[in-house]
Amino acid sequence: MTEQLSADDWTSQGLKALAKSGFTALKADPLAKAMGVSRGSFYWHFADLGAFHAAVLKRWREIAAEQIIADVEAASDEPLKALLRRSFGARLDLERAVRNWAAFDAAAQAAVRAIDRRRLDYIEQLLDKHGLDPATAQARAQILYWTFLGFALSGQPVPAARLQGLLDELLRMISAE
């Protein structure tokens, strides 16, 4: 069985469990049971639970920042508009779960701080390219990011048409001279 599953398979299952049930679900036994394998397969790929947690956080950083940035850069749309649509239009269960985990775990807290910095730097870069002076770009990036975090942590669904109207208004606000 250990040859059939990769560390990435375990990490993917960990992200699903984290988004659905929170960080307390990141244990070998329940994950192995969900995947229909023995716990030995888990330990074949990870020295211990700490190593698994580190892999889950690393993968989260990849999909929650680097993949989004790559998607935005590849989009034919204006980058700031694409970022807003991608960020505010996503399911944010995983975002909430990792931030909850960070309240209890130093490694998760460090991962959240790193991704917050990466995201803020990217937003500032987009606003700078949009023609805003550096101080204004920095201030508006922070405001935009706080807006995203409030939206993500609220967990309140917004109908698509209303969300698009809100994103259009947000784009006008942060782009205004």
Side-chain angles (χ1 to χ4, degrees), residues 5 9 19 34 54 57 70 78 103-104 122 127 129 131 146-147 158 166 168 177:
L5 290 178
D9 293 326
L57 289 169
E78 195 274 318
F104 300 94
Y122 183 65
L127 290 171
K129 286 181 184 174
W146 284 336
T147 302
V158 178
L166 293 170
D168 290 344
E177 298 279 332

Side-chain angles (χ1 to χ4, degrees), residues 3-4 18 21 23 29 49 58 71 97 131 144 146 161 171 174:
E3 292 89 36
Q4 294 177 354
L18 177 60
S21 304
F23 68 94
D29 283 332
L49 206 51
K58 180 178 185 257
D71 290 350
L144 179 57
W146 284 336
L171 189 59
I174 61 173

Side-chain angles (χ1 to χ4, degrees), residues 93-141:
D93 299 338
L94 186 57
E95 183 80 23
R96 286 188 296 277
V98 172
R99 288 180 181 280
N100 184 46
W101 185 12
F104 300 94
D105 182 87
Q109 188 177 68
V112 166
R113 274 197 307 271
I115 205 165
D116 286 347
R117 183 74 264 150
R118 176 68 172 117
R119 288 169 170 174
L120 274 168
D121 289 346
Y122 183 65
I123 297 167
E124 279 183 51
Q125 176 189 336
L126 291 180
L127 290 171
D128 186 54
K129 286 181 184 174
H130 215 286
L132 298 176
D133 67 84
T136 303
Q138 184 179 37
R140 290 187 187 176

Side-chain angles (χ1 to χ4, degrees), residues 87-97 99-100 145-159 162-163 166:
S87 300
F88 284 83
R91 287 196 49 130
L92 297 167
D93 299 338
L94 186 57
E95 183 80 23
R96 286 188 296 277
R99 288 180 181 280
N100 184 46
Y145 195 59
W146 284 336
T147 302
F148 166 73
L149 289 176
F151 176 78
L153 296 176
S154 74
Q156 297 296 317
V158 178
R162 183 160 174 3
L163 180 60
L166 293 170

